[in-house]
C-alpha cells in the first residue's frame, strides 16, 4: 500500500536547514573574488562585488569598485542582509529545533522579507550601474552573482513557510493525525 502525505514535524528541521543554505550561498556571493561579471571569453575583463580587473595574457590591472557610491551601497545591502539572515537562522533554531515557539515564526518571516528586499535591491542595482561602465563587448553575470540570487530565492520560500507555519501548530507538534493526500489500496 502506498500513502502520500505531509509530515509537518519534519518542517521543524528542514526550514532552518534551508536558511543555513541561504547563509552559505550569501557568503559565497559576498566573498567571491571573481564570478559576478565576466566578458564573453573571460579573458580580458571580470569583476566581483568588490573589484574589477582588466588585462590580457595573464597581466591584470585590478581596481576597486568601492570608490563608486553604488558599489558601496550594494556591498552594504548584501552584508546587512547576511547579518539579518544569520540572526533569523539563530532565532529559527531556537523557535523550531530546541522548543516549539510559534509566536516567533512570523517575526522570522518578517526578518526574511526584509532580507529579500535588501538583497533584491542590491542585486538589481549592481548590473544596472555596472553596465553603465561597460563600453564594448558582451558580458555575462556568472556563478557568484547566481549564488546571490539563489540565497534570495531561498529566503523568499522560507519567508512564506515561516508566515504559514503558525496555522499548522497541531501538525507541527504531532498532536494531529497525519492526513494523507493519496492512498492506494
Amino acid at each position: 500500500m502506498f500513502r502520500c502525505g505531509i509530515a509537518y514535524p519534519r518542517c521543524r528541521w528542514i526550514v532552518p536547514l534551508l536558511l543555513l543554505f541561504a547563509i552559505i550561498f550569501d557568503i559565497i556571493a559576498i566573498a567571491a573574488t571573481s564570478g559576478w561579471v565576466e566578458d564573453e571569453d573571460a579573458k580580458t575583463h571580470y569583476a566581483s562585488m568588490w573589484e574589477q580587473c582588466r588585462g590580457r595574457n595573464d597581466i591584470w590591472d585590478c581596481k576597486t569598485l568601492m570608490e563608486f557610491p553604488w558599489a558601496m551601497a550594494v556591498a552594504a545591502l548584501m552584508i546587512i542582509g547576511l547579518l539579518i539572515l544569520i540572526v533569523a537562522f539563530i532565532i529559527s533554531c531556537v523557535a523550531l529545533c530546541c522548543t516549539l515557539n510559534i509566536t516567533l515564526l512570523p517575526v522570522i518571516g518578517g526578518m526574511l522579507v526584509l532580507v529579500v528586499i535588501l538583497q533584491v535591491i542590491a542585486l538589481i542595482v549592481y548590473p544596472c550601474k555596472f553596465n553603465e561602465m561597460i563600453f564594448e563587448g558582451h558580458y555575462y553575470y556568472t556563478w557568484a552573482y547566481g549564488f546571490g540570487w539563489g540565497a534570495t530565492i531561498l529566503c523568499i520560500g522560507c519567508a512564506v513557510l515561516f508566515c504559514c507555519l503558525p496555522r499548522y501548530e497541531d501538525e507541527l507538534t504531532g498532536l494531529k493525525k497525519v492526513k494523507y493526500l493519496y492512498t492506494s489500496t
Side-chain angles (χ1 to χ4, degrees), residues 93-113:
C93 287
V94 170
L96 290 174
C97 299
C98 299
T99 61
L100 186 60
N101 191 344
I102 299 294
T103 58
L104 288 177
L105 299 183
V107 173
I108 299 167
M111 292 173 73
L112 292 175
V113 168

Side-chain angles (χ1 to χ4, degrees), residues 1-179:
M1 181 193 263
F2 175 75
R3 293 181 180 174
C4 180
I6 299 173
Y8 288 96
R10 291 185 186 150
C11 289
R12 293 178 64 176
W13 300 98
I14 292 173
V15 179
L17 184 63
L18 290 174
L19 286 182
L20 180 62
F21 284 130
I23 290 170
I24 292 169
F25 285 6
D26 252 355
I27 290 171
I28 291 171
I30 291 170
T33 57
S34 68
W36 275 57
V37 181
E38 293 177 350
D39 67 345
E40 194 168 10
D41 297 325
K43 297 191 188 266
T44 59
H45 191 193
Y46 69 88
S48 69
M49 190 172 74
W50 307 101
E51 66 180 3
Q52 65 174 334
C53 298
R54 289 183 181 268
R56 289 194 188 276
N57 301 328
D58 292 330
I59 300 171
W60 296 97
D61 177 31
C62 296
K63 295 181 181 174
T64 183
L65 288 175
M66 291 299 118
E67 64 189 29
F68 300 106
W70 62 266
M72 289 188 289
V74 166
L77 290 171
M78 290 295 288
I79 291 171
I80 291 169
L82 175 63
L83 294 175
I84 295 170
L85 181 57
I86 291 170
V87 171
F89 170 71
I90 292 169
I91 294 172
S92 74
C93 287
V94 170
L96 290 174
C97 299
C98 299
T99 61
L100 186 60
N101 191 344
I102 299 294
T103 58
L104 288 177
L105 299 183
V107 173
I108 299 167
M111 292 173 73
L112 292 175
V113 168
L114 180 61
V115 169
V116 168
I117 291 170
L118 294 174
Q119 290 190 349
V120 164
I121 291 171
L123 292 168
I124 289 175
V125 166
Y126 185 88
C128 290
K129 290 300 191 176
F130 192 83
N131 285 345
E132 291 176 3
M133 297 172 40
I134 299 171
F135 301 112
E136 76 288 331
H138 297 285
Y139 285 81
Y140 301 107
Y141 291 89
T142 59
W143 62 272
Y145 184 72
F147 271 107
W149 277 110
T152 305
I153 291 167
L154 279 172
C155 288
I156 291 170
C158 288
V160 170
L161 287 174
F162 276 111
C163 290
C164 293
L165 280 178
R167 295 181 181 186
Y168 301 98
E169 182 175 3
D170 289 339
E171 287 88 346
L172 284 171
T173 57
L175 297 175
K176 190 170 184 180
K177 186 177 176 184
V178 176
K179 180 179 173 182

